[in-house]
Amino acid sequence: MKKSNTPLPASPSRRLTKAERRKQLLDTALLIVREENADRLTLGHLAVRAEVSKPVVYDHFATRSALLIELYRWIDMERVRTFAEAMTTTPRSAQETAEVLASAYINCASDKTDEFHSVGAALAGSEEKSAVFQELLDNCVAMFVSVLTPHVDMPPRSLMQCCIGLVGAGEALSAALARGRLSQDEAVTSFALLIGGAMEKSKS
């Protein structure tokens, strides 16, 4: 579910808009994390790598913590968007959907080497991280709703409540995997059974 990000090149014919500049800075920040490590991501180093002045970076991110929070959020939103698009544009049976959704969720949660977890580790102790993490869980719920909608027969609110429960179960299984209480295959299989059971129950 990783997405290749290449910073927008500076155009000699026009200045980047504020939104384009922000994207360029986030793309460059992601490259720094990927190529050098999250510890190297400072506002000054970002300015050097993005080939802009420090005031330009500070105009978008007042502090390193603000940059990390925004990058943390942005990486997750890109992962969720890319995965949701792939799941909703490729026809799959209900069983296949449950298996792919469970596998993708558990695999992402257990991958401690990718950029998302690197940035998360750099944010350890941040008061803002817990609030942002809840926002990201809400994004996951929305993704589950999008993926499962074609396979269930329940009102939108009931489906949302069901997906909140499923995401909570996914987090619990991921935590058990991280503590060594489950293998990755066991976590994926258990999660797929829960997702499949929810889809079956909706049609009974």
PDB file of all heavy atoms in Angstrom, residues 36-51:
ATOM      1  N   GLU A  36      16.610   8.791   4.747  1.00  0.00           N
ATOM      2  CA  GLU A  36      17.573   9.153   5.780  1.00  0.00           C
ATOM      3  C   GLU A  36      17.160   8.788   7.198  1.00  0.00           C
ATOM      4  O   GLU A  36      17.994   8.637   8.063  1.00  0.00           O
ATOM      5  CB  GLU A  36      17.847  10.663   5.722  1.00  0.00           C
ATOM      6  CG  GLU A  36      18.358  11.162   4.381  1.00  0.00           C
ATOM      7  CD  GLU A  36      18.637  12.654   4.414  1.00  0.00           C
ATOM      8  OE1 GLU A  36      19.357  13.108   5.311  1.00  0.00           O
ATOM      9  OE2 GLU A  36      18.099  13.366   3.538  1.00  0.00           O
ATOM     10  N   ASN A  37      15.886   8.694   7.487  1.00  0.00           N
ATOM     11  CA  ASN A  37      15.360   8.403   8.814  1.00  0.00           C
ATOM     12  C   ASN A  37      14.594   9.621   9.335  1.00  0.00           C
ATOM     13  O   ASN A  37      14.930  10.763   9.038  1.00  0.00           O
ATOM     14  CB  ASN A  37      16.477   8.049   9.815  1.00  0.00           C
ATOM     15  CG  ASN A  37      15.918   7.480  11.116  1.00  0.00           C
ATOM     16  OD1 ASN A  37      15.341   8.192  11.923  1.00  0.00           O
ATOM     17  ND2 ASN A  37      16.081   6.182  11.297  1.00  0.00           N
ATOM     18  N   ALA A  38      13.558   9.334  10.132  1.00  0.00           N
ATOM     19  CA  ALA A  38      12.715  10.409  10.658  1.00  0.00           C
ATOM     20  C   ALA A  38      13.485  11.372  11.555  1.00  0.00           C
ATOM     21  O   ALA A  38      13.129  12.547  11.663  1.00  0.00           O
ATOM     22  CB  ALA A  38      11.529   9.822  11.422  1.00  0.00           C
ATOM     23  N   ASP A  39      14.544  10.889  12.193  1.00  0.00           N
ATOM     24  CA  ASP A  39      15.339  11.762  13.057  1.00  0.00           C
ATOM     25  C   ASP A  39      15.995  12.901  12.277  1.00  0.00           C
ATOM     26  O   ASP A  39      16.332  13.935  12.845  1.00  0.00           O
ATOM     27  CB  ASP A  39      16.425  10.960  13.776  1.00  0.00           C
ATOM     28  CG  ASP A  39      15.850  10.005  14.814  1.00  0.00           C
ATOM     29  OD1 ASP A  39      14.696  10.230  15.240  1.00  0.00           O
ATOM     30  OD2 ASP A  39      16.535   9.036  15.177  1.00  0.00           O
ATOM     31  N   ARG A  40      16.176  12.687  10.986  1.00  0.00           N
ATOM     32  CA  ARG A  40      16.817  13.709  10.143  1.00  0.00           C
ATOM     33  C   ARG A  40      15.821  14.753   9.651  1.00  0.00           C
ATOM     34  O   ARG A  40      16.218  15.761   9.064  1.00  0.00           O
ATOM     35  CB  ARG A  40      17.478  13.040   8.945  1.00  0.00           C
ATOM     36  CG  ARG A  40      18.725  12.268   9.277  1.00  0.00           C
ATOM     37  CD  ARG A  40      19.906  13.208   9.455  1.00  0.00           C
ATOM     38  NE  ARG A  40      20.287  13.834   8.185  1.00  0.00           N
ATOM     39  CZ  ARG A  40      20.870  15.009   8.054  1.00  0.00           C
ATOM     40  NH1 ARG A  40      21.121  15.733   9.123  1.00  0.00           N
ATOM     41  NH2 ARG A  40      21.196  15.481   6.864  1.00  0.00           N
ATOM     42  N   LEU A  41      14.548  14.519   9.917  1.00  0.00           N
ATOM     43  CA  LEU A  41      13.530  15.448   9.425  1.00  0.00           C
ATOM     44  C   LEU A  41      13.401  16.646  10.363  1.00  0.00           C
ATOM     45  O   LEU A  41      12.705  16.595  11.373  1.00  0.00           O
ATOM     46  CB  LEU A  41      12.181  14.739   9.271  1.00  0.00           C
ATOM     47  CG  LEU A  41      11.034  15.597   8.730  1.00  0.00           C
ATOM     48  CD1 LEU A  41      11.394  16.211   7.384  1.00  0.00           C
ATOM     49  CD2 LEU A  41       9.756  14.761   8.613  1.00  0.00           C
ATOM     50  N   THR A  42      14.087  17.707  10.013  1.00  0.00           N
ATOM     51  CA  THR A  42      13.967  18.975  10.728  1.00  0.00           C
ATOM     52  C   THR A  42      13.507  20.023   9.721  1.00  0.00           C
ATOM     53  O   THR A  42      13.598  19.818   8.506  1.00  0.00           O
ATOM     54  CB  THR A  42      15.315  19.418  11.326  1.00  0.00           C
ATOM     55  OG1 THR A  42      16.243  19.659  10.245  1.00  0.00           O
ATOM     56  CG2 THR A  42      15.875  18.340  12.249  1.00  0.00           C
ATOM     57  N   LEU A  43      13.029  21.140  10.227  1.00  0.00           N
ATOM     58  CA  LEU A  43      12.563  22.186   9.318  1.00  0.00           C
ATOM     59  C   LEU A  43      13.706  22.721   8.464  1.00  0.00           C
ATOM     60  O   LEU A  43      13.538  22.993   7.271  1.00  0.00           O
ATOM     61  CB  LEU A  43      11.905  23.310  10.120  1.00  0.00           C
ATOM     62  CG  LEU A  43      10.656  22.920  10.913  1.00  0.00           C
ATOM     63  CD1 LEU A  43      10.103  24.131  11.653  1.00  0.00           C
ATOM     64  CD2 LEU A  43       9.588  22.326  10.012  1.00  0.00           C
ATOM     65  N   GLY A  44      14.885  22.863   9.070  1.00  0.00           N
ATOM     66  CA  GLY A  44      16.032  23.358   8.319  1.00  0.00           C
ATOM     67  C   GLY A  44      16.462  22.391   7.229  1.00  0.00           C
ATOM     68  O   GLY A  44      16.750  22.802   6.097  1.00  0.00           O
ATOM     69  N   HIS A  45      16.510  21.104   7.561  1.00  0.00           N
ATOM     70  CA  HIS A  45      16.921  20.107   6.566  1.00  0.00           C
ATOM     71  C   HIS A  45      15.881  19.990   5.465  1.00  0.00           C
ATOM     72  O   HIS A  45      16.226  19.786   4.290  1.00  0.00           O
ATOM     73  CB  HIS A  45      17.141  18.751   7.244  1.00  0.00           C
ATOM     74  CG  HIS A  45      17.772  17.731   6.348  1.00  0.00           C
ATOM     75  ND1 HIS A  45      18.874  17.996   5.558  1.00  0.00           N
ATOM     76  CD2 HIS A  45      17.444  16.432   6.103  1.00  0.00           C
ATOM     77  CE1 HIS A  45      19.209  16.914   4.879  1.00  0.00           C
ATOM     78  NE2 HIS A  45      18.352  15.947   5.187  1.00  0.00           N
ATOM     79  N   LEU A  46      14.603  20.115   5.831  1.00  0.00           N
ATOM     80  CA  LEU A  46      13.544  20.089   4.816  1.00  0.00           C
ATOM     81  C   LEU A  46      13.727  21.243   3.836  1.00  0.00           C
ATOM     82  O   LEU A  46      13.565  21.064   2.621  1.00  0.00           O
ATOM     83  CB  LEU A  46      12.174  20.176   5.491  1.00  0.00           C
ATOM     84  CG  LEU A  46      10.963  20.256   4.555  1.00  0.00           C
ATOM     85  CD1 LEU A  46      10.912  19.062   3.605  1.00  0.00           C
ATOM     86  CD2 LEU A  46       9.666  20.342   5.364  1.00  0.00           C
ATOM     87  N   ALA A  47      14.072  22.416   4.325  1.00  0.00           N
ATOM     88  CA  ALA A  47      14.291  23.572   3.447  1.00  0.00           C
ATOM     89  C   ALA A  47      15.426  23.289   2.463  1.00  0.00           C
ATOM     90  O   ALA A  47      15.327  23.601   1.265  1.00  0.00           O
ATOM     91  CB  ALA A  47      14.595  24.812   4.280  1.00  0.00           C
ATOM     92  N   VAL A  48      16.499  22.678   2.961  1.00  0.00           N
ATOM     93  CA  VAL A  48      17.641  22.362   2.101  1.00  0.00           C
ATOM     94  C   VAL A  48      17.231  21.358   1.025  1.00  0.00           C
ATOM     95  O   VAL A  48      17.511  21.554  -0.167  1.00  0.00           O
ATOM     96  CB  VAL A  48      18.809  21.803   2.930  1.00  0.00           C
ATOM     97  CG1 VAL A  48      19.925  21.280   2.015  1.00  0.00           C
ATOM     98  CG2 VAL A  48      19.361  22.882   3.858  1.00  0.00           C
ATOM     99  N   ARG A  49      16.568  20.272   1.435  1.00  0.00           N
ATOM    100  CA  ARG A  49      16.206  19.228   0.478  1.00  0.00           C
ATOM    101  C   ARG A  49      15.162  19.716  -0.529  1.00  0.00           C
ATOM    102  O   ARG A  49      15.163  19.297  -1.684  1.00  0.00           O
ATOM    103  CB  ARG A  49      15.663  17.994   1.213  1.00  0.00           C
ATOM    104  CG  ARG A  49      16.698  17.142   1.917  1.00  0.00           C
ATOM    105  CD  ARG A  49      17.575  16.361   0.941  1.00  0.00           C
ATOM    106  NE  ARG A  49      16.824  15.496   0.056  1.00  0.00           N
ATOM    107  CZ  ARG A  49      16.612  14.194   0.259  1.00  0.00           C
ATOM    108  NH1 ARG A  49      17.106  13.606   1.348  1.00  0.00           N
ATOM    109  NH2 ARG A  49      15.942  13.472  -0.613  1.00  0.00           N
ATOM    110  N   ALA A  50      14.253  20.601  -0.090  1.00  0.00           N
ATOM    111  CA  ALA A  50      13.219  21.115  -0.979  1.00  0.00           C
ATOM    112  C   ALA A  50      13.694  22.309  -1.800  1.00  0.00           C
ATOM    113  O   ALA A  50      12.979  22.798  -2.671  1.00  0.00           O
ATOM    114  CB  ALA A  50      11.988  21.518  -0.174  1.00  0.00           C
ATOM    115  N   GLU A  51      14.915  22.781  -1.490  1.00  0.00           N
ATOM    116  CA  GLU A  51      15.512  23.915  -2.186  1.00  0.00           C
ATOM    117  C   GLU A  51      14.659  25.175  -2.072  1.00  0.00           C
ATOM    118  O   GLU A  51      14.374  25.869  -3.048  1.00  0.00           O
ATOM    119  CB  GLU A  51      15.772  23.567  -3.661  1.00  0.00           C
ATOM    120  CG  GLU A  51      16.736  22.397  -3.842  1.00  0.00           C
ATOM    121  CD  GLU A  51      17.036  22.102  -5.301  1.00  0.00           C
ATOM    122  OE1 GLU A  51      16.334  22.622  -6.184  1.00  0.00           O
ATOM    123  OE2 GLU A  51      17.971  21.327  -5.553  1.00  0.00           O
TER     124      GLU A  51
END
